[in-house]
Amino acid sequence: MLSRVLSSLGAMVGGRPLRAEPALREGDVTVVPSGCAHNCGGHCVLKAWVKDGRIVRLTTDERPDLDDDPQLRACPRGRSYLRRIYHPDRLLHPMMRVGARGEARFERVSWEEAIDSVAQAMVRARDRYGPAAFLNMHGTGGASLFAGSRMSQRLLNVFGGQLNHHNSYSSAAARWATPFSLGTADAGHSPDDWVNARLILLWGFNPTETVFGTNTSYRLKLARRAGARIVVIDPRFSATAQALADDWVPLRAGTDSALMDAMAFVTISEGLQDQAFLDRYCVGFDEEHLPAGAPVGASYRSYVLGLSDGIPKTPAWAEGYTQIPSERIVALAREFARTKPAALLAGLSFNRRAYGEQPVRGTVTLAAMTGNVGIPGGSPGGVSYSISRSLPIAEFPRGRNPIPESIPVFTWTDAIVRGTEMGAADGVTNLPEGQSRLRTNVRFLFNTAGNTLVNQHANVNRTVRILGDPSLVDFIVGIDQFITPSARFADVLLPAVTWFEKNDICGIWGHGHSLIFMNQAIAPLGECRTDYDICAAIADRLGVGSEFTEGKSELDWLEQMVAPAREADPSFPSFDEFRRRGVHVFKYERPHVAFREFRADPVEHPLATPSGKIEIYSQRLADMALEHVPPIPRFIPEWEGGPWDPLFEKYPLQAFGRHYQRRTHSIFDNVDWLEESQPQRIFMNPIDAAPRGIENGDLVRVFNDRGAIEIRARLTRRIIPGLVDVPQGGWWTPDERGIDQRGNVNVLTSERPTPGARGNAQHSNLVQVEKVRA
C-alpha cells in the first residue's frame, strides 16, 4: 500500500515550485497525479510513477467507478505517453534556421540568441507593418487552461496587438449556423439525460473513436441499457456503429441534407409532425408561420413538398443522392417521428463539408418537427456536444487587443496573400468604421504548439509555397516538442515541455463536469521551457515583461483561474488539496436539458433569435443573401461531392480524412506503439479496389489536381463503395518528387471555405486511386 505524503519535489523539478507538492510515495517511487489534455475530445486522468527523476510508468484513474461518477480512464494515446516524452526526436534545444524555409535545416543556439532573434524580428515587423500584421496561429497541442497558444496570444497583445481570428477548424459551420435557428450554439443536453431517450440517432457522430467528452460512449451504453434504440447514420461502419448501434444507415458522404429533407417529406405526407409544437414555438415551417415580408412559397414545408421548385423531396428523390433505398428512408422517418422522446445527436463531420451549414440547420428542423426540443430524452439538434452549463472557472486573461478586425481562421493563408483585399464578403468581422478591408497582409506568424500551419490546413502544397516565400512571410516563430511539418518552416524554433514537465489544469471536453489538475512530475528535459516561461522571456526582452506576468508564477495563475469554482461549489477543495486529489467532479441536481425553460413558457423565456422562436426560416439569412446559404435548410449538391460534379469523370472517388483513434489530430503520429496497433492506411471497399487491381496491403497512389500521396491500402466492407478514407493527421513527408509518403490527406483537400462560416470544408474531395507498380 502506498503511503500518502506531501513531499517537496523541488530538487526533482529544478527547484522551481516552492509549494508543497502532492504525491504518493512508496520507497523510491513517487506517484504524481496528472492528466492528458490534448484536444482529442476527452481529457483523462494519468498518474506518473517517477523514479530518480524519470517517469517509469503511467497509470490512470483508480477512483471508484460509479454510474453517476465514472472513472476518467485514459485511452491508449494517454497510456503510451512515455513514448512521446522520451522520444529520441524530442526537440530539446533552441534552434535557428540555416537553410531555406521548410528544409528543416537548423543549428542549435542559446536561449539568449533565440529570444533576441524573435524580439528583434517582432520589433521590425511592428514598426514596418503595424500590429495587425501579426497572427497567432490557430491550433495548439493542448486544450488546457494554460495552453501554449493562450500564452502567445497574451504576449502579442501586451506587445501592441494582433489580427484576431474566429471560428475553428472543427466546428465553424456548426457554430455559425446553429444560432440562426436557436439563438445559441450551446444546444446540447448533458449526457446523463440520454437514459431518458427511447431513440437516439447518432448522425455522423462517432464518439467511440472521437470521444466527444470523456465517457460519452459509456453514457450511450447506459441509455441503451435503459431501453433506447441507437441508430448510426454514417458512410462508415464505424467503431461506434459496431459497439453501440441497433441499426446502421450508410449514406453517400455529403448527402445528409437530402436524407433529412426526405425524412421531412415522409413526416409531412403522413401527418406525423408535431404541428402544435411547430405552431407555438417555430417560425417558417409552413406558409402560415413565415415572418412578415418573406416571399410566398418560402417555407420549409413548401420546399419539401416541391410547391416552390416543382421537386418533391421524396425518398425516391433522395435515394438518387444518398444511395439509401427509399423504403429504408421511409422506415427511418417513421421511427424518428413516432418515437418520443428521441435525441438526434450530430457529430461534426458534415459541418466540415462544402455546404456544411445546411445539415446543421437541418438537424434543428427535424428535431422541431418531431417536438423533441426542450424535453428530457430529446435534443434540439445543432451543436449537440456543447452545453450552456459551463464549468465555474476563469480563463487565462489574454489581455486587451487594440486591433478589432477578425478573420475566419480557415482563411489565414488568404490573409497572407491578399489580406488588404479581404473584407466582409470574406467573413472579416469588426472592421472599424470607414475601413472596408484589412489594413495589412499578415506578415508575422506565431505558431505555438500547433501543426495547423502546414499539416492540418488544406492543400498542403499551396500552403508550403506561401510559407516558403520570404516576400510574403517575414518571420515564423515555432514553439513545439518536435520538428513537425509545421515546425520545419520556423525561423526560430523553441523547445517546449510536455504536460508532465509543467503544472496545468483541464476540464472535460464538451459537456463534461470535472476538472483535472496536472501536476508537474519531472524536470523539463534538455533546455525545454514552459510556454509561459518562453513567452515571458520574450516579453521581458521586449520591455513588457511585467505586463505579461503581472509578477505571477504558473501556479499563481492556475489558482486564480479556479478561484470561481470555490465560490460556486462549496465542496471544491483548497488549491493544494485539489492538486493532491487531482480530480474534482461538480455535482448537479438534475440533467441539463437545453431550452427546458423555453419549452415551458416561450413568452417568458424566448430564444435569442430575432423572433424569440426556433427559426426554421431565418429572415437574417434572407437579408444577408449569401450564395448557397438560403433562409431555410436545404440540400445543395456539393462541389467535389458526387457524379453531378464534372470533375467526377476524372476523379471518381470521394475522399475524406476522419479522426483516427490512434492520433489526436496529428499528435501521436510519431509514437511507435500506436503506429503498430493502427498503422496509417487508406481504407477502401473491395468493390472499388478490384477494377484497379488493388489488393490488401498494396502501395497505392491517391491523387487529384492538388497533389498526390502514396500509402498502403486496407480493404474493408465497412466503408461504402465510392468513398475512401485517409485518416487525418499523418505527418506530411514529401519525397523528391513532391509525393507525400506518409498519407497526409491534406495534400488532397481544398482551401475553398464553406459559404456562410467561411470554415473548413476539408471533407469534400474527389480523387483517383491507382496501384503503384514496382
Side-chain angles (χ1 to χ4, degrees):
M1 175 69 79
L2 290 168
S3 60
R4 188 182 302 284
V5 297
L6 285 176
S7 64
S8 171
L9 304 182
M12 185 177 67
V13 298
R16 288 188 64 258
L18 300 178
R19 296 166 183 259
E21 293 287 345
L24 296 170
R25 177 174 292 174
E26 183 177 37
D28 56 356
V29 175
T30 303
V31 183
V32 182
S34 187
C36 185
H38 288 307
N39 190 22
C40 66
H43 296 173
C44 302
V45 169
L46 284 174
K47 294 182 177 180
W49 296 56
V50 182
K51 181 179 181 181
D52 298 330
R54 185 180 175 89
I55 301 175
V56 295
R57 183 186 178 200
L58 290 173
T59 55
T60 188
D61 199 354
E62 296 169 346
R63 297 174 302 133
D65 197 18
L66 308 173
D67 276 0
D68 63 345
D69 182 16
Q71 293 175 339
L72 304 171
R73 287 193 290 265
C75 73
R77 288 170 291 200
R79 300 296 292 271
S80 66
Y81 217 96
L82 287 180
R83 309 298 289 182
R84 282 198 86 239
I85 300 172
Y86 299 114
H87 195 290
D89 294 338
R90 262 294 293 273
L91 180 64
L92 298 176
H93 308 284
M95 310 283 277
M96 198 171 293
R97 177 172 64 86
V98 294
R101 192 180 282 158
E103 284 185 343
R105 292 175 53 209
F106 297 97
E107 68 177 13
R108 180 176 171 179
V109 296
S110 68
W111 269 107
E112 290 71 21
E113 291 174 283
I115 296 297
D116 277 345
S117 178
V118 171
Q120 291 166 7
M122 290 177 70
V123 170
R124 283 197 304 271
R126 183 194 59 185
D127 292 348
R128 184 171 182 182
Y129 309 108
F134 288 78
L135 184 70
N136 188 46
M137 274 301 299
H138 168 84
T140 183
S144 61
L145 298 191
F146 226 50
S149 63
R150 302 181 186 203
M151 307 297 113
S152 47
Q153 190 176 1
R154 179 177 172 85
L155 168 66
L156 291 175
N157 283 343
V158 299
F159 180 59
Q162 62 197 289
L163 179 63
N164 297 290
H165 54 71
H166 56 271
N167 292 342
S168 74
Y169 276 66
S170 297
S171 58
R175 287 193 169 275
W176 185 88
T178 301
F180 286 100
S181 299
L182 294 171
T184 175
D186 295 326
H189 292 208
S190 56
D192 52 350
D193 178 59
W194 297 340
V195 294
N196 296 314
R198 301 277 63 83
L199 173 68
I200 298 176
L201 298 188
L202 301 181
W203 202 313
F205 187 35
N206 182 23
T208 301
E209 292 178 280
T210 57
V211 188
F212 267 86
T214 311
N215 287 318
T216 292
S217 294
Y218 173 71
R219 292 293 182 187
L220 289 168
K221 287 183 69 174
L222 291 182
R224 198 163 181 239
R225 187 192 301 170
R229 231 175 78 82
I230 294 181
V231 178
V232 170
I233 302 170
D234 199 304
R236 293 174 54 243
F237 188 60
S238 65
T240 298
Q242 296 168 46
L244 297 170
D246 296 286
D247 198 1
W248 171 48
V249 180
L251 81 170
R252 187 202 303 270
T255 61
D256 306 85
S257 290
L259 175 58
M260 293 174 190
D261 291 344
M263 289 174 65
F265 181 91
V266 174
T267 303
I268 296 169
S269 298
E270 299 186 7
L272 299 176
Q273 74 270 25
D274 189 335
Q275 193 64 47
F277 181 87
L278 290 165
D279 290 346
R280 186 179 187 199
Y281 296 93
C282 301
V283 167
F285 170 71
D286 51 33
E287 297 296 306
E288 291 73 26
H289 295 87
L290 280 171
V296 174
S299 70
Y300 185 68
R301 183 178 183 278
S302 292
Y303 157 71
V304 167
L305 297 181
L307 304 178
S308 56
D309 60 4
I311 304 173
K313 310 309 177 294
T314 64
W317 165 84
E319 180 177 345
Y321 290 106
T322 64
Q323 299 180 319
I324 304 173
S326 59
E327 59 271 20
R328 195 157 194 197
I329 296 175
V330 172
L332 179 64
R334 288 172 176 167
E335 182 177 17
F336 186 59
R338 289 170 172 167
T339 308
K340 298 285 182 64
L344 196 169
L345 307 179
L348 292 172
S349 54
F350 55 55
N351 115 107
R352 299 188 196 114
R353 302 198 63 92
Y355 303 119
E357 295 88 357
Q358 298 312 305
V360 172
R361 296 193 69 227
T363 61
V364 177
T365 302
L366 283 181
M369 288 179 63
T370 51
N372 278 300
V373 180
I375 59 173
S379 166
V383 187
S384 58
Y385 68 89
S386 181
I387 68 174
S388 58
R389 190 178 68 188
S390 58
L391 294 176
I393 52 177
E395 290 192 341
F396 178 69
R398 261 60 76 84
R400 179 183 170 276
N401 181 9
I403 306 298
E405 301 97 301
S406 180
I407 60 169
V409 64
F410 189 64
T411 66
W412 65 271
T413 51
D414 287 348
I416 292 175
V417 176
R418 57 176 191 89
T420 54
E421 301 172 8
M422 292 177 66
D426 301 288
V428 177
T429 61
N430 299 330
L431 287 162
E433 187 173 352
Q435 180 185 324
S436 61
R437 301 285 185 270
L438 293 179
R439 62 187 83 184
T440 176
N441 291 355
V442 167
R443 306 290 310 196
F444 194 110
L445 293 165
F446 220 109
N447 189 42
T448 307
N451 205 2
T452 309
L453 193 69
V454 169
N455 211 74
Q456 301 303 101
H457 189 61
N459 198 347
V460 168
N461 289 327
R462 170 181 178 268
T463 306
V464 300
R465 285 194 295 272
I466 293 170
L467 296 177
D469 186 345
S471 72
L472 296 175
V473 181
D474 288 55
F475 206 82
I476 302 174
V477 180
I479 300 177
D480 217 310
Q481 298 160 352
F482 295 94
I483 302 179
T484 66
S486 295
R488 290 165 57 102
F489 285 78
D491 294 293
V492 169
L493 191 51
L494 306 175
V497 299
T498 65
W499 307 120
F500 299 95
E501 300 153 75
K502 60 179 284 194
N503 292 292
D504 209 335
I505 296 172
C506 67
I508 302 304
W509 198 90
H511 31 42
H513 56 286
S514 303
L515 277 182
I516 299 173
F517 200 105
M518 300 183 290
N519 287 285
Q520 182 178 358
I522 57 174
L525 270 60
E527 295 184 90
C528 292
R529 294 183 181 181
T530 68
D531 304 303
Y532 182 65
D533 287 345
I534 292 171
C535 291
I538 297 171
D540 192 55
R541 196 61 52 91
L542 292 168
V544 291
S546 60
E547 290 91 333
F548 180 82
T549 66
E550 298 182 13
K552 296 173 183 172
S553 70
E554 180 181 84
L555 288 173
D556 292 336
W557 284 112
L558 293 173
E559 186 168 15
Q560 175 179 313
M561 284 186 274
V562 298
R566 291 198 296 278
E567 298 173 7
D569 181 356
S571 71
F572 196 88
S574 68
F575 186 66
D576 286 339
E577 178 63 12
F578 175 37
R579 296 184 65 203
R580 185 183 67 78
R581 295 180 187 177
V583 180
H584 180 77
V585 181
F586 294 91
K587 303 286 188 181
Y588 298 96
E589 292 182 358
R590 62 181 183 179
H592 174 78
V593 173
F595 312 119
R596 189 196 295 264
E597 293 76 17
F598 167 71
R599 181 64 180 257
D601 188 340
V603 175
E604 192 68 25
H605 302 283
L607 301 184
T609 56
S611 65
K613 298 183 177 183
I614 299 170
E615 296 199 347
I616 295 173
Y617 181 98
S618 169
Q619 187 60 53
R620 283 195 297 157
L621 285 176
D623 293 341
M624 292 166 72
L626 298 173
E627 188 177 11
H628 300 309
V629 190
I632 57 170
R634 59 186 300 168
F635 173 64
I636 305 172
E638 292 184 348
W639 47 264
E640 296 202 33
W644 48 85
D645 188 320
L647 200 61
F648 189 81
E649 185 174 349
K650 184 178 181 183
Y651 299 119
L653 295 171
Q654 290 182 290
F656 84 127
R658 50 110 174 181
H659 288 56
Y660 207 8
Q661 200 169 20
R662 57 145 301 188
R663 281 190 293 261
T664 300
H665 300 296
S666 68
I667 303 168
F668 298 103
D669 189 50
N670 59 346
V671 173
D672 52 354
W673 288 357
L674 297 172
E675 176 67 11
E676 184 173 340
S677 66
Q678 292 183 303
Q680 179 71 345
R681 293 286 186 268
I682 180 173
F683 295 84
M684 64 188 305
N685 193 290
I687 292 174
D688 295 319
R692 293 171 171 81
I694 296 171
E695 298 182 354
N696 213 27
D698 279 349
L699 184 67
V700 300
R701 184 175 297 116
V702 191
F703 60 97
N704 58 20
D705 289 342
R706 292 180 285 271
I709 64 175
E710 291 183 347
I711 186 172
R712 297 286 171 185
R714 172 78 169 88
L715 307 189
T716 175
R717 296 187 184 279
R718 295 182 177 184
I719 186 169
I720 63 168
L723 175 69
V724 295
D725 165 29
V726 182
Q728 61 110 343
W731 284 13
W732 174 66
T733 310
D735 65 10
E736 64 281 358
R737 301 167 296 169
I739 298 176
D740 172 59
Q741 298 296 306
R742 181 55 187 157
N744 183 306
V745 70
N746 287 319
V747 171
L748 308 166
T749 60
S750 171
E751 75 278 11
R752 180 176 172 179
T754 65
R758 314 298 290 176
N760 159 12
Q762 286 167 264
H763 281 348
S764 293
N765 310 284
L766 289 175
V767 301
Q768 179 58 287
V769 179
E770 64 182 16
K771 182 175 180 177
V772 175
R773 310 288 177 181

